[in-house]
Amino acid sequence: MIINLDMQSELPIYSQLVYQIIEGVASGELQLGEALPSVRNLAADIGVNLHTVNKAYTLLKQDGYIQIHRQKGVVVNPDGMPPVTDDFLNKQRQELRPIIAEALCRGMSKEELSTVLSDIYEEIKHPY
Amino acid sequence: MIINLDMQSELPIYSQLVYQIIEGVASGELQLGEALPSVRNLAADIGVNLHTVNKAYTLLKQDGYIQIHRQKGVVVNPDGMPPVTDDFLNKQRQELRPIIAEALCRGMSKEELSTVLSDIYEEIKHPY
Amino acid sequence: MIINLDMQSELPIYSQLVYQIIEGVASGELQLGEALPSVRNLAADIGVNLHTVNKAYTLLKQDGYIQIHRQKGVVVNPDGMPPVTDDFLNKQRQELRPIIAEALCRGMSKEELSTVLSDIYEEIKHPY
Amino acid sequence: MIINLDMQSELPIYSQLVYQIIEGVASGELQLGEALPSVRNLAADIGVNLHTVNKAYTLLKQDGYIQIHRQKGVVVNPDGMPPVTDDFLNKQRQELRPIIAEALCRGMSKEELSTVLSDIYEEIKHPY
DNA sequence: GTGGTCTAGACCACC
DNA sequence: GTGGTCTAGACCACT
């Protein structure tokens, strides 16, 4: 899987890592139970610090996206992805709110927004 | 207009300010051309430093949401809001992408996402 | 003569006034010895404070562009415009330097810059 | 690179910094991709507050002259300088206009002005 | 009274 | 170590 980092982004590198792995699962490029590179290997591959990869993996584990086994290494959670909890929905709304407010302000209609959302949805699901 | 700040949030205070003012315009609570509080007044009202407010105002001005008149004060841009540029759409997609990837991963359908979006859209537009 | 002020410009209003009057003389719209509106009238016409107009006139007088007579009012200096002094040339170079550096940085050639300069020169001289 | 600040100038210190760095790039003293001093180092070197340097760097970043890498430092944009956009040309004309009007008023010919411009252009390009 | 600038000094996240 | 954010308090130009 190809990881694409923007070193100038305001987003921390570990967050970018988290999102790229989540997107990998969302697109099907990463299967449930599939092994991920070790912290050490991934860090070397993408040229970032060990701590950075570690932080990303730890966050992914906390949210239930991956499992970290002492010896076997890191795998995408074979029991499936975390469910849509109320906490998640609240967080999602908080993140969407300012984006939608800005769009509304600039005159985008609900339909236009829906189209953008739908576009991205399909783009992630079928990245080929 | 009521400003609601979360001092514990990971979002910088000035960003929260920016979004709340944008939402104020989006909801119609702030009219085009309407005066905003002076830097110092707003800072005192919400209990933050004047530089923090200043930064928020400066960002809003850069994006064309407000005008800062020399020694007269700050007003919502009377010439209307900034348009939907390609830059804006790109930025919007970049912000939406990880949110949608996460939703997809957890099994939300496109329709469910659209409903959430629609909900928030109306919530902002009709906050009563 | 039509005065055009930009209340949002970073340039102080009195400076804008100074430049517009200088441009009026440069274009020939204002003749040597021609009367300018009184401080009071001009302030009322363009909707700014008396002090602002006063400051502009005072600066113009200091540089020798106009004369201010107690009773007769304000006139464009009938003895001609101030000469090209070394001080003026130094000030001019200081002002031009950052503009030219920026142009050079972005890849404008000396010829392109000269064309822009020539354009503006003619535009001011023949504003019709 | 030697930075020369005039603390008495009407130009804000951060603007002087911006222009000096742009001139450094224009003259070739600063190469594309070259590292600039950290905010704190530069501030200490030239004896100003770190916020002042920060503001200069932020402005340079906004215009595309430099890149600010997360926790790694500041470099001259390795992808080249920002292009000559219409916005830039408009801003340039606005800045040149009053300077040219004044010169015209005092009787400088187009050729004299062109010579001054050419002088400064070469002076910046070949500062030795 | 307005925003613009500057200082001094602090804490934080990231790497 | 880096930049990002925030505070407190000051002076200035402009209107």
Side-chain angles (χ1 to χ4, degrees):
Chain A
M1 181 187 173
I2 296 157
I3 300 281
N4 237 323
L5 294 180
D6 177 1
M7 303 308 277
Q8 294 161 74
S9 165
E10 53 174 7
L11 231 67
I13 292 176
Y14 74 84
S15 296
Q16 296 183 46
L17 263 176
V18 165
Y19 285 131
Q20 299 241 352
I21 290 171
I22 291 179
E23 209 177 303
V25 179
S27 72
E29 203 178 343
L30 294 172
Q31 300 291 331
L32 297 193
E34 183 173 341
L36 291 173
S38 73
V39 171
R40 203 170 296 271
N41 279 344
L42 185 49
D45 276 8
I46 58 182
V48 302
N49 197 292
L50 281 178
H51 300 337
T52 308
V53 177
N54 214 333
K55 182 156 189 177
Y57 276 176
T58 305
L59 286 170
L60 284 165
K61 179 186 157 200
Q62 272 172 16
D63 281 349
Y65 288 102
I66 64 174
Q67 289 178 353
I68 304 181
H69 296 97
R70 187 104 23 160
Q71 310 290 356
K72 298 189 328 199
V74 183
V75 296
V76 179
N77 194 334
D79 308 331
M81 289 295 101
V84 177
T85 62
D86 280 357
D87 267 11
F88 170 72
L89 283 173
N90 281 332
K91 200 199 63 169
Q92 189 186 55
R93 292 179 89 90
Q94 267 188 356
E95 289 170 349
L96 283 173
R97 202 176 173 87
I99 303 175
I100 297 174
E102 214 171 333
L104 217 161
C105 224
R106 290 180 188 245
M108 282 182 85
S109 71
K110 215 193 307 186
E111 288 68 31
E112 285 173 299
L113 261 175
S114 260
T115 305
V116 170
L117 183 140
S118 178
D119 272 9
I120 302 175
Y121 192 94
E122 294 300 336
E123 203 175 297
I124 295 174
K125 205 162 180 178
H126 311 291
Y128 318 107
Chain B
M1 182 187 172
I2 296 155
I3 302 279
N4 238 322
L5 293 182
D6 176 2
M7 306 306 276
Q8 317 308 334
S9 166
E10 53 175 3
L11 229 67
I13 297 176
Y14 71 84
S15 295
Q16 297 184 44
L17 264 175
V18 164
Y19 286 131
Q20 299 235 356
I21 290 171
I22 289 179
E23 207 176 305
V25 179
S27 74
E29 202 179 344
L30 293 173
Q31 299 291 328
L32 297 192
E34 183 173 342
L36 291 172
S38 79
V39 172
R40 281 170 180 75
N41 276 344
L42 184 50
D45 277 6
I46 59 184
V48 301
N49 192 277
L50 93 180
H51 289 111
T52 307
V53 176
N54 202 355
K55 180 154 188 180
Y57 276 178
T58 304
L59 287 171
L60 285 165
K61 174 187 157 199
Q62 271 171 14
D63 283 348
Y65 288 103
I66 64 174
Q67 289 181 349
I68 302 183
H69 287 84
R70 26 183 340 87
Q71 340 319 30
K72 285 207 313 198
V74 181
V75 297
V76 179
N77 195 333
D79 306 333
M81 290 296 99
V84 177
T85 62
D86 282 355
D87 269 8
F88 170 73
L89 284 174
N90 283 333
K91 203 199 61 172
Q92 190 186 54
R93 291 180 91 90
Q94 269 187 356
E95 288 169 350
L96 283 174
R97 201 177 174 88
I99 303 175
I100 295 173
E102 213 173 336
L104 216 159
C105 221
R106 289 177 187 248
M108 282 182 83
S109 71
K110 215 194 308 188
E111 288 68 32
E112 284 174 297
L113 261 176
S114 255
T115 306
V116 171
L117 182 140
S118 179
D119 270 11
I120 302 175
Y121 191 94
E122 293 302 335
E123 202 175 299
I124 294 173
K125 204 164 182 176
H126 310 291
Y128 320 105
Chain C
M1 180 184 173
I2 294 156
I3 301 281
N4 237 322
L5 295 181
D6 177 0
M7 303 308 276
Q8 293 161 74
S9 163
E10 53 175 5
L11 232 66
I13 293 177
Y14 74 86
S15 295
Q16 295 184 46
L17 263 176
V18 164
Y19 285 129
Q20 299 241 351
I21 290 171
I22 291 179
E23 208 177 305
V25 179
S27 73
E29 202 178 343
L30 294 173
Q31 300 292 329
L32 297 192
E34 183 173 339
L36 291 172
S38 74
V39 171
R40 201 169 299 270
N41 279 343
L42 184 49
D45 276 7
I46 59 182
V48 302
N49 196 291
L50 281 179
H51 300 337
T52 308
V53 177
N54 214 333
K55 182 154 189 179
Y57 276 176
T58 305
L59 286 170
L60 284 165
K61 178 185 158 201
Q62 272 172 17
D63 282 348
Y65 288 102
I66 63 174
Q67 289 179 354
I68 304 181
H69 296 98
R70 186 97 31 152
Q71 309 292 354
K72 297 190 327 199
V74 182
V75 295
V76 179
N77 194 334
D79 307 333
M81 289 296 99
V84 176
T85 61
D86 280 356
D87 268 10
F88 170 73
L89 282 174
N90 281 331
K91 200 199 63 169
Q92 190 186 55
R93 292 180 89 90
Q94 268 189 354
E95 289 169 349
L96 283 173
R97 201 175 174 89
I99 303 175
I100 296 173
E102 214 172 334
L104 217 161
C105 226
R106 290 179 187 245
M108 283 183 84
S109 70
K110 215 194 308 188
E111 288 68 31
E112 285 173 298
L113 261 175
S114 259
T115 305
V116 171
L117 182 140
S118 179
D119 271 10
I120 301 175
Y121 192 94
E122 293 301 334
E123 203 175 296
I124 294 173
K125 205 163 180 178
H126 311 289
Y128 317 107
Chain D
M1 183 187 170
I2 296 155
I3 301 280
N4 237 323
L5 294 181
D6 176 2
M7 306 306 276
Q8 318 308 334
S9 165
E10 52 174 5
L11 227 66
I13 296 175
Y14 71 84
S15 294
Q16 297 183 45
L17 265 174
V18 164
Y19 286 131
Q20 300 233 358
I21 290 171
I22 291 179
E23 208 176 304
V25 179
S27 74
E29 202 178 344
L30 294 173
Q31 299 291 328
L32 297 193
E34 184 173 340
L36 291 172
S38 79
V39 172
R40 282 169 178 77
N41 276 345
L42 184 50
D45 277 6
I46 59 182
V48 302
N49 192 278
L50 93 181
H51 289 111
T52 307
V53 175
N54 202 355
K55 182 154 189 181
Y57 276 177
T58 304
L59 288 170
L60 284 165
K61 175 188 156 200
Q62 271 170 15
D63 282 349
Y65 288 103
I66 65 174
Q67 289 181 351
I68 302 183
H69 287 83
R70 31 185 334 90
Q71 340 318 31
K72 285 207 312 195
V74 182
V75 297
V76 179
N77 194 334
D79 306 332
M81 290 295 99
V84 177
T85 62
D86 281 356
D87 268 9
F88 170 71
L89 284 173
N90 282 334
K91 202 199 64 172
Q92 190 186 55
R93 293 180 89 89
Q94 269 187 356
E95 288 170 349
L96 283 173
R97 201 178 175 88
I99 303 175
I100 297 174
E102 214 173 334
L104 216 161
C105 220
R106 288 177 187 248
M108 280 182 85
S109 71
K110 215 195 305 187
E111 288 69 32
E112 284 174 299
L113 261 175
S114 256
T115 306
V116 171
L117 181 139
S118 179
D119 271 10
I120 301 174
Y121 190 94
E122 293 302 334
E123 203 175 298
I124 295 173
K125 204 163 180 177
H126 310 291
Y128 320 105

